[in-house]
Amino acid sequence: MMERFTKPFTQQEPIPDEAIAAAMEVLRHGRLHRYNTLGDEVAETALLEEEFAAFTGARYCLAVASGGYALGCALRAVGVGPGDRVLTNGFTLAPVPGAIAAVWAEPVFVEVTDNLTINLEDLSVKAGQGAKALLLSHMRGHVCDMDRLMEICNAAGVIVIEDCAHTMGAAWRGVPSGRHGLVGCYSTQTYKHMNSGEGGLLVSDDPQVMARAIMLSGSYMLYARHRAAPPPEAFERVRYETPNVSGRMDNLRAAILRPQLRALPDQIARWNALYRTMETGLQGTPGLQMTVRSEEEAIVGSSFQFLLPGWSAEAVQTLLARAAARGVELKWFGAAEPQGFTSRHDSWRYAPAQSLPETDRILAGLIDMRLPLTFSTEDVALVARIVRAEVLTVAQGGAEVPEFTRSAD
Ligand SMILES: *Cc1c(COP(=O)(O)O)cnc(C)c1O
């Protein structure tokens, strides 16, 4: 009998009861704006910043309106401006080059490897060609050799900002993701590791950079109400020189996030159990290439990727359709036209066109799937059996091409 999978790949877990109670509290008192406090009340947003700074080991933290806002705010705070060249991964998500374009800087794409990390040789070359910063995307949670990356960027005088949208809670050689570069940026959008619908966080140890980020986010002259901010001296000049590019987080979202942050280590263990189940289930499938995860990497397996090296577009489409017919939603980064989240460097035509043959070869066979925590390990084992069987069928040329079905996102 043909097994089928029936759960949606985009369904997150409900917001925990403790977070709902905290949200109700904020709704009842009505002080949703982070600077709307009574007496010596400490706002939920300020508490979240303090707790997230402690979670990452950073001196300073700022909560903002979205992950994309955090990236743009970090670029501005480190001094990136019009015409500056900013390096970023050839494989990343649209808000990353978008944040570079939003400060009128120029995205310069760096090749990626078969393991979906930035190609350090190509980075070496491009870092030496006058780049101001690297907006490093730990895309889909794949972390490169961060020690080597920092050596390259430090030697070339390139500022590193980390996009940790998929690595909140991950680490390289015991150092949390987001703590290697000058600034680490995180997202609390629904599909990331904590869910406030929309939201973002920035961490840094640099008092001037963080003072500028806080002013940029729209703190007016109320920065003294933060608890994970640099001392008032850091704001002396900055407060006159920094525009207000309003993008604060509010107390309602912060209230939902604080209990989720406490639960994050347990959630990470659950994600990794799903990830390892998928890995085991797909191991040794002919025609399918797994990514290799370094021993130095502490992962958060909230999504899973594999490659179909050398497959024709037609064969990949056949696989996608056959898997979809059995309830398994696979995303493909190699389609001619971007769909949903799968845009690529050649879809971002506001940036100068660039030649990335390695990245193009990899993306042509790159398959992506989410592993939401609403899945059990049994669910994931079933998904793996379906993918394995369909890859085998298509690779052996025994597939009939069914009508192409496509999910909404
Ligand atoms: C989601 C995401 C972002 C942006 O986060 P938003 O909160 O949606 O703005 C940035 N980078 C990557 C890699 C992402 O996946």
Side-chain angles (χ1 to χ4, degrees), residues 321-332:
R322 292 180 60 95
R326 296 178 67 180
V328 173
E329 240 180 80
L330 302 175
K331 302 293 178 196
W332 180 38

Side-chain angles (χ1 to χ4, degrees), residues 65-69 71 92-96 137-140 163-166 186-189 192 197-200:
S66 74
Y69 184 89
L71 299 177
T92 185
L93 211 74
V96 178
S137 184
H138 303 295
M139 182 62 173
R140 293 294 188 260
D163 164 27
C164 306
H166 303 152
Y186 307 79
S187 168
T188 62
Q189 188 241 74
K192 313 297 162 93
E198 305 288 352

Side-chain angles (χ1 to χ4, degrees), residues 346-383:
D346 57 349
S347 326
W348 305 323
R349 292 181 198 164
Y350 49 82
Q354 293 165 52
S355 164
L356 296 163
E358 276 294 288
T359 301
D360 292 343
R361 172 185 64 76
I362 291 159
L363 294 186
L366 175 60
I367 304 294
D368 178 38
M369 67 188 128
R370 289 205 173 93
L371 297 176
L373 290 175
T374 47
F375 289 4
S376 64
T377 51
E378 291 75 27
D379 290 333
V380 172
L382 169 57
V383 170

Side-chain angles (χ1 to χ4, degrees), residues 257-278:
L257 290 170
R258 291 181 60 219
Q260 293 184 55
L261 180 58
R262 291 195 281 279
L264 189 54
D266 289 338
Q267 303 289 78
I268 290 171
R270 292 175 61 209
W271 262 308
N272 290 347
L274 301 183
Y275 187 94
R276 297 303 177 193
T277 303
M278 183 67 78

Side-chain angles (χ1 to χ4, degrees), residues 112-134:
V112 297
T113 68
D114 277 346
N115 293 325
L116 307 180
T117 56
I118 197 161
N119 179 319
L120 295 175
E121 273 122 68
D122 196 38
L123 176 65
S124 263
V125 172
K126 290 174 178 164
Q129 295 171 344
K132 171 118 183 181
L134 164 65

Side-chain angles (χ1 to χ4, degrees), residues 2 26-27 59 80 106 127 148 160 204 210 222 251 270 287-288 303 350 362:
M2 193 81 113
V26 173
L27 290 173
R59 286 166 78 183
V80 171
E106 186 183 314
R148 183 75 195 108
V160 177
S204 182
M210 191 50 89
L222 301 167
N251 288 332
R270 292 175 61 209
L288 181 156
S303 68
Y350 49 82
I362 291 159

